Amino acid sequence: MPVQTALPHWETMPADLGAATREVKAAIRARIAASGRTVEEAFAVVERGIEAEVQAIETARKRGEAVWPVIDYADIAAGTVSAADLALLRRRGCLVVRGHFDREQALGWDREIVSYVERNAFFEHYRGPADDFFSSVSSKPEIYPIYWSQPQVQARQSDRMAAVQTFLNRLWKHESEGVQWFDPERDAMYPDRIRRRPPGATSGGLGAHLDPGTLDLWMTQAYQQAFRHLFDGSVEQYDPWDAAYRTVGPQYPGSTMCSAFRTFQGWTALSDMDHDQGVLHTVPIPGAMAYLMLRPLLDDVAEDDMCGVTVNRAFPADDERRHGLLLRALSGIPDVRAGDSVWWHCDMIHSVAPVRDQQGWGNVMYIPAAPWCPRNEAYSGSVRSAFLTGSSPADFPEEHYERTWAGRTTVEQLNATGRRGLAIEA
């Protein structure tokens, strides 16, 4: 293969997004052409692979087979997960962990969170959504912008959470080219919000999208290296489980950004939820990212357009014309019980189904797998400061409800895992 010139890149958001988009698309096309392939030929290889996965998922659904892998926590803890279950997990990129926490403990955490917000008069002071990411949901509030309740921190720093996070982190290739890209045994504490959706709620859900970034995925040097096989025509070598370069680069700021590198996004159920009650769906094909990264380069997309991807918005994947093949595979989680946890690969397309007159509660706390790496270490300083002051973390709107709240978690209540996750100690 001929010597490649560096792609144009912008480590901070370019002032003229349209011009930068035109420039980087032209450069990527030229690099693919230098491999002896056209963009259309490279995309066709990816598309054939995706089509095979979509058909396998459709066939499984017709047979009544579960699409989502389900693994018991006891098997993860004992190291007895079968080779077949591991293979399916790597193929699907998503997982339900049964019995991650005891059901009664999870229900107790739910009650404690209610007590925490009520005794601190949250509802009397709630100012409404501070961003428009969840604008389609209508119960008020559904997303609670709290981060430092004792149940949330207890779950984040628990041995059972650490065991699952390590198990998931180890699915990734975390060492290559003489670099350890992340430490699978240590997670950064990435604080996120909770959701409480009451019985009888009607919610518009969330459209199909993904969260690893936006235009920075094409425009920053680290991500250009992470997606090197897509951008140089060697698409067969692309591995969605390779962490190389993902853990060191910047992300453009925006209302939906995540400063951390997450191997998996996740949540822990605080209530029982049936599969038809407005639950999470994914396109369970980790390699679908290759399709999404190359699709804007085809000639039916305007030169200044990345199929609708732009800053300050979630990465959309809901266009039937451009994403229709992928959306055929959209598959919901099975029934879950309080204490189960749900996980999906960080690149995975996901949505939340709408619901009318919901039956039962729909309560979760969001806890990802975010292994220790340069990117997560850099973010940990702001997380630690937010914890100490009861502030909203930097990735989230500046609401800061908990600064004066009684009963939020203190430093003295952190165990060794929690202190390491906040970089209070090594």
Side-chain angles (χ1 to χ4, degrees):
M1 185 175 290
V3 176
Q4 296 174 345
T5 57
L7 294 172
H9 57 90
W10 298 262
E11 300 308 287
T12 58
M13 190 168 65
D16 188 335
L17 292 173
T21 300
R22 290 188 291 272
E23 184 177 350
V24 79
K25 286 174 72 168
I28 294 171
R29 287 194 190 105
R31 176 174 283 192
I32 293 173
S35 74
R37 272 179 167 163
T38 65
V39 169
E40 288 75 17
E41 288 168 340
F43 181 76
V45 172
V46 170
E47 189 173 36
R48 284 194 295 271
I50 298 297
E51 177 71 42
E53 290 299 315
V54 170
Q55 289 181 2
I57 290 164
E58 291 176 327
T59 298
R61 284 200 299 240
K62 288 175 183 176
R63 291 174 177 167
E65 298 170 1
V67 173
W68 273 69
V70 178
I71 297 176
D72 288 339
Y73 171 77
D75 285 327
I76 293 174
T80 55
V81 178
S82 71
D85 281 342
L86 281 172
L88 183 62
L89 171 53
R90 286 184 61 84
R91 184 176 186 184
R92 297 280 191 256
C94 54
L95 174 67
V96 173
V97 178
R98 288 278 187 233
H100 190 169
F101 296 99
D102 178 78
R103 181 172 181 272
E104 291 305 315
Q105 180 179 39
L107 293 172
W109 278 339
D110 192 46
R111 291 190 295 269
E112 285 185 58
I113 288 170
V114 172
S115 174
Y116 176 63
V117 299
E118 286 183 344
R119 69 176 180 267
N120 285 289
F122 169 66
F123 299 105
E124 290 85 344
H125 295 96
Y126 179 63
R127 298 184 292 272
D131 60 34
D132 62 1
F133 183 67
F134 292 101
S135 61
S136 61
V137 302
S138 55
S139 49
K140 300 184 184 297
E142 180 172 319
I143 302 299
Y144 288 35
I146 64 169
Y147 306 88
W148 307 117
S149 71
Q150 294 191 33
Q152 288 168 287
V153 177
Q154 286 168 13
R156 290 174 195 145
Q157 68 177 0
S158 74
D159 291 343
R160 295 174 79 93
M161 183 60 70
V164 171
Q165 289 168 328
T166 297
F167 168 74
L168 295 170
N169 291 339
R170 287 200 166 276
L171 295 169
W172 283 71
K173 182 179 181 180
H174 56 276
E175 291 187 37
S176 64
E177 302 181 28
V179 177
Q180 182 181 40
W181 300 104
F182 66 77
D183 180 354
E185 305 286 338
R186 177 184 180 184
D187 251 65
M189 187 179 286
Y190 187 82
D192 204 332
R193 299 173 280 195
I194 66 166
R195 186 193 76 195
R196 299 194 84 250
R197 189 193 295 151
T202 294
S203 173
L206 292 172
H209 67 282
L210 52 159
D211 299 326
T214 56
L215 292 176
D216 41 284
L217 301 178
W218 289 273
M219 294 182 180
T220 59
Q221 191 169 38
Y223 268 115
Q224 289 171 351
Q225 291 174 296
F227 294 123
R228 59 199 178 280
H229 295 302
L230 303 180
F231 295 160
D232 69 9
S234 58
V235 294
E236 293 89 345
Q237 297 180 49
Y238 172 67
D239 180 3
W241 298 99
D242 183 358
Y245 303 102
R246 288 171 174 255
T247 62
V248 294
Q251 187 176 48
Y252 294 163
S255 60
T256 62
M257 73 176 296
C258 177
S259 297
F261 167 67
R262 298 175 290 191
T263 55
F264 281 77
Q265 294 176 251
W267 51 254
T268 299
L270 300 178
S271 64
D272 300 342
M273 285 170 276
D274 290 343
H275 67 278
D276 58 354
Q277 295 300 303
V279 299
L280 177 76
H281 286 59
T282 67
V283 173
I285 306 171
M289 195 67 183
Y291 185 106
L292 294 165
M293 296 302 294
L294 293 176
R295 183 65 183 83
L297 304 179
L298 299 186
D299 60 12
D300 66 336
V301 181
E303 287 301 296
D304 59 356
D305 180 24
M306 288 293 194
C307 291
V309 179
T310 191
V311 297
N312 290 317
R313 295 286 186 274
F315 188 130
D318 57 357
D319 183 335
E320 281 288 345
R321 183 166 61 91
R322 292 167 172 169
H323 307 129
L325 171 62
L326 303 175
L327 295 174
R328 282 166 45 194
L330 199 64
S331 303
I333 61 172
D335 296 346
V336 296
R337 288 166 56 85
D340 293 344
S341 60
V342 175
W343 304 87
W344 61 102
H345 185 289
C346 60
D347 288 349
M348 193 158 283
I349 299 167
H350 57 286
S351 66
V352 178
V355 64
R356 181 174 296 278
D357 189 21
Q358 177 174 290
Q359 304 303 298
W361 284 90
N363 302 344
V364 309
M365 52 181 163
Y366 298 100
I367 303 175
W372 198 254
C373 63
R375 181 169 163 181
N376 294 355
E377 183 177 6
Y379 185 58
S380 69
S382 66
V383 173
R384 184 170 58 252
S385 176
F387 168 75
L388 294 172
T389 59
S391 302
S392 301
D395 273 355
F396 298 89
E398 296 184 22
E399 296 172 276
H400 309 310
Y401 288 105
E402 294 172 271
R403 282 180 172 173
T404 60
W405 282 18
R408 76 169 191 262
T409 309
T410 64
V411 172
E412 294 72 26
Q413 292 167 319
L414 295 174
N415 63 17
T417 300
R419 296 175 74 86
R420 289 182 76 213
L422 290 169
I424 291 174
E425 61 185 43

